[in-house]
């Protein structure tokens, strides 16, 4: 299945800022069933420096810098990608086997289980989340079924509430309030899985939205999405679970990057000299191609 994605991010400052440096994570990392047909990254104003890097996780990062002061930055990422068909997964190895294989795996590459097995900057350890998730991940259960049960519990027990949280909201706060957005749900699920010894990663990307019957699709109405990749043993590897929609990640889920949590894959972050307030606006359009 082929998709065209256009993502425009606009950063505006109340006053010019100088010596700005940004990390852009908007280019899909190749592999895992995704084949890039074309891609472009347009930056205005033109940066003084630009360098593309890979890693340290499953991330393609473009570092850009500005020597002259800027008051506005617009980044447009466009690409056409071909998604391979995803075979349905009905069962997996036991949770004990997944834990054992993860502990025995000595690979440290960006898709190995080890980097995603421990607490990270945002997805820390929480006694409350561990106690809540443990009964759903009881020993002896099928790993895919148990992880799916945790995913469905988040979907049914939490309220999707845009505007109630933001990128700085700790997952513990979203868990206590039982509301949030896809980023919050992914972090809570990751923390529950890691506490049970299951490697879990945060996936940033896009999800094709479908308008109501008879209604046209609104250009720019899509947004970035987040879901969870759980490592289900050597044979199955990484499987995507979407707690926001209570489904396995399918062909409509277009992955951009995978890291330990949002901090590893945020679309844009950086630093500058100055103290001007800033605002950010994004417009995303995902189109299925013939």
């Amino acid at each position: 299945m082929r998709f065209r994605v256009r993502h425009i991010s606009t950063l505006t400052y109340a006053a010019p800022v100088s010596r700005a440096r940004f990390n852009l994570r908007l280019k899909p990392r190749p592999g895992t069933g995704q084949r890039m047909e074309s891609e472009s990254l347009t930056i205005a104003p033109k940066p003084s420096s630009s360098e593309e890097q890979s890693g340290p996780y499953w991330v393609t990062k473009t570092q850009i810098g500005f020597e002259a002061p800027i008051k506005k930055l617009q980044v447009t990422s466009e690409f056409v990608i071909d998604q391979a068909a995803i075979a349905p997964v009905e069962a997996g190895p036991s949770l004990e086997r997944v834990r054992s294989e993860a502990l025995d795996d000595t690979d440290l590459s960006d898709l190995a289980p080890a980097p995603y097995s421990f607490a990270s900057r945002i997805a820390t350890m929480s006694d409350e989340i561990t106690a809540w998730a443990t009964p759903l991940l009881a020993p002896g259960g099928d790993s895919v079924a148990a992880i799916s049960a945790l995913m469905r519990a988040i979907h049914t027990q939490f309220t999707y509430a845009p505007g109630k949280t933001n990128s700085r909201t700790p997952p513990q706060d979203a868990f206590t309030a039982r509301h949030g957005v896809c980023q919050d749900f992914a972090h809570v699920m990751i923390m529950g899985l890691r506490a049970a010894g299951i490697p879990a990663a945060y996936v940033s990307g896009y999800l094709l939205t479908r308008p109501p019957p008879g209604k046209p699709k609104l250009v720019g109405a899509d947004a970035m999405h987040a879901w969870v990749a759980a490592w289900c043993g050597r044979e199955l590897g990484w499987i995507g679970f979407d707690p926001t929609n209570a489904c396995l990640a399918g062909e409509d889920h277009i992955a951009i990057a995978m890291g330990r949590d949002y901090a590893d894959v945020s679309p844009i972050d950086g630093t500058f000299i100055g103290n001007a307030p800033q605002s950010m606006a994004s417009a995303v359009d995902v189109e299925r191609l013939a």
Side-chain angles (χ1 to χ4, degrees), residues 154-178:
I154 294 173
H155 180 73
T156 57
Q157 297 178 27
F158 291 66
T159 301
Y160 185 79
K164 295 287 188 179
T165 60
N166 56 49
S167 60
R168 298 179 299 277
T169 301
Q172 180 65 51
D173 290 359
F175 175 79
T176 300
R178 292 299 199 275

Side-chain angles (χ1 to χ4, degrees), residues 70-91:
I70 63 170
K71 190 175 180 181
K72 181 179 178 181
L73 172 67
Q74 186 169 84
V75 180
T76 303
S77 170
E78 296 184 83
F79 61 85
V80 174
I81 197 167
D82 188 5
Q83 295 263 84
I86 299 177
V89 179
E90 298 180 355

Side-chain angles (χ1 to χ4, degrees), residues 120-173:
S120 52
R121 190 188 326 176
I122 298 176
T124 58
M125 297 302 294
S126 163
D127 291 340
E128 288 184 64
I129 293 176
T130 298
W132 171 77
T134 296
L136 298 166
L137 301 169
D142 172 282
S143 56
V144 174
I147 297 169
S148 296
L150 177 62
M151 172 186 70
R152 289 192 296 271
I154 294 173
H155 180 73
T156 57
Q157 297 178 27
F158 291 66
T159 301
Y160 185 79
K164 295 287 188 179
T165 60
N166 56 49
S167 60
R168 298 179 299 277
T169 301
Q172 180 65 51
D173 290 359

Side-chain angles (χ1 to χ4, degrees), residues 157-240:
Q157 297 178 27
F158 291 66
T159 301
Y160 185 79
K164 295 287 188 179
T165 60
N166 56 49
S167 60
R168 298 179 299 277
T169 301
Q172 180 65 51
D173 290 359
F175 175 79
T176 300
R178 292 299 199 275
H179 64 221
V181 292
C182 57
Q183 174 180 306
D184 306 299
F185 301 160
H187 282 143
V188 169
M189 185 170 174
I190 287 169
M191 292 163 68
L193 289 172
R194 290 180 184 165
I198 307 301
Y202 184 104
V203 184
S204 172
Y206 306 98
L207 177 61
L208 178 68
T209 57
R210 303 177 189 277
K215 298 291 184 180
K217 184 175 181 296
L218 299 178
V219 175
D222 296 313
M224 291 204 79
H225 190 47
W227 59 96
V228 175
W231 193 77
C232 296
R234 294 192 184 101
E235 184 176 345
L236 291 180
W238 293 100
I239 296 177

